[in-house]
Amino acid sequence: MAIWNLGSINADMVYALPHLPAPGETLAATDLQQFLGGKGANMSVAAARAGSHVCHIGAVGADGVWAVDRLMEYGVDTRHIAETVTPTGHAIIAVDRQAENQIILFPGANREISTDQLGQALTQAESGDILILQNETNMQAEAAKMGRDLGLRVCYAAAPFDATAVQSVLPFLDLLFLNEVEAQQLQQATGKTPMELGVADVIITLGAKGARHFCAETGEIQDFPAHTVTAVDTTGAGDTFTGYVLSGLDRSLPMPQAMALAARAAALMVTRPGTADVIPDLKEVQEASF
């Protein structure tokens, strides 16, 4: 089996600040680091490090060859990443002393994925493979429909949140990931609770409180607590959690075991500064003591 990820690829510029800036405020950063990032790249790396075969569908500019090389180093299949004339996407990330963050995102090449590129990739997928999408690329609705038609397990991480984007893919989804705020926004937009969305599985991440799973088939709601750790950087923790859940499902783990493993990975992730480059591998996650 395989995981197919129509996902963003970014250069993450992470600035350490004494506090997050207020409107009109100028702050001097105390440190700057550059990492491989983007919600898509983060999820691909997490799922690959968790033990799955991950095929990334995306795009970079001529300035992004290093990012593709980095993905390859981390075990991601990069044959379906195109090079465009548009610069590679990037994010400016401010992180304060309490590990909270603010992010400015430039989509760049992530919005230049073509229909032909998507079709050539997904026609190589097999029925039962997983397809994951996020809202940092174009072609989401087209990919979701194509994935459903091909018999893939279609999953969507609804960030950066846009109610219209979520609703355009909802009819094709098997699994939906939301954080607490996104879940509230989607319920306001649709008038439906997670159980009423028509999606088999909905997972709501609750930050330091853990995560909640809604199973439409059984009507069961199950909570999974987060592990108590000292966080230094929460950037990418949700992506790590998502990638590990998907890998667990890809490797035929039941949902509770997949989410429990993902909770361990996310807890370990927030103890490290950075994004895709510091996502833990499966051995580290299994051996971590919390």
Side-chain angles (χ1 to χ4, degrees):
M1 305 298 289
I3 296 173
W4 299 80
N5 184 359
L6 174 63
S8 56
I9 302 170
N10 290 335
D12 281 356
M13 310 296 290
V14 182
Y15 296 84
L17 297 173
H19 60 267
L20 298 181
E25 181 180 12
T26 300
L27 278 177
T30 58
D31 189 35
L32 167 63
Q33 294 179 288
Q34 179 174 314
F35 299 96
L36 171 65
K39 297 192 72 63
N42 294 343
M43 291 177 192
S44 282
V45 172
R49 285 187 159 176
S52 291
H53 177 64
V54 182
C55 303
H56 195 101
I57 308 166
V60 297
D63 58 333
V65 174
W66 67 272
V68 179
D69 291 343
R70 195 80 59 84
L71 283 168
M72 289 180 63
E73 290 173 15
Y74 297 148
V76 177
D77 186 332
T78 62
R79 288 175 293 176
H80 301 289
I81 298 175
E83 184 175 314
T84 73
V85 296
T86 305
T88 304
H90 67 260
I92 298 172
I93 303 171
V95 181
D96 70 11
R97 289 171 179 162
Q98 285 70 48
E100 293 300 327
N101 64 68
Q102 289 179 347
I103 301 173
I104 299 171
L105 183 67
F106 171 69
N110 294 313
R111 298 285 184 182
E112 300 295 328
I113 297 164
S114 69
T115 303
D116 287 346
Q117 178 189 353
L118 177 66
Q120 288 172 10
L122 289 186
T123 52
Q124 297 181 37
E126 297 181 2
S127 179
D129 282 357
I130 290 173
L131 171 64
I132 176 67
L133 318 166
Q134 320 86 39
N135 194 28
E136 288 185 345
T137 70
N138 62 321
M139 301 298 294
Q140 297 162 43
E142 296 88 343
K145 183 179 185 306
M146 191 180 300
R148 171 59 64 87
D149 292 343
L150 290 169
L152 308 185
R153 187 173 189 174
V154 183
C155 311
Y156 187 76
F161 184 80
D162 179 274
T164 301
V166 180
Q167 291 177 86
S168 71
V169 300
L170 266 181
F172 312 109
L173 296 185
D174 299 293
L175 172 57
L176 173 62
F177 293 89
L178 301 156
N179 66 27
E180 201 167 10
V181 173
E182 293 160 355
Q184 293 170 354
Q185 292 173 328
L186 185 59
Q187 186 162 341
Q188 290 171 357
T190 63
K192 297 179 179 180
T193 67
M195 284 292 195
E196 298 168 336
L197 291 172
V199 180
D201 294 286
V202 177
I203 294 174
I204 298 178
T205 55
L206 307 170
K209 294 179 289 184
R212 181 170 296 146
H213 173 228
F214 297 80
C215 179
E217 182 180 354
T218 64
E220 184 180 5
I221 301 173
Q222 189 171 3
D223 285 342
F224 296 83
H227 296 276
T228 302
V229 296
T230 301
V232 299
D233 186 356
T234 58
T235 311
D239 302 333
T240 299
F241 178 88
T242 300
Y244 262 81
V245 169
L246 295 173
S247 177
L249 298 176
D250 172 61
R251 293 181 292 111
S252 300
L253 292 182
M255 183 66 80
Q257 283 89 327
M259 290 185 65
L261 185 67
R264 293 178 63 83
L268 193 54
M269 172 68 174
V270 300
T271 65
R272 305 170 172 183
T275 42
D277 298 296
V278 297
I279 293 173
D281 64 25
L282 184 59
K283 186 172 185 290
E284 292 177 287
V285 172
Q286 290 172 331
E287 293 179 352
S289 56
F290 295 109

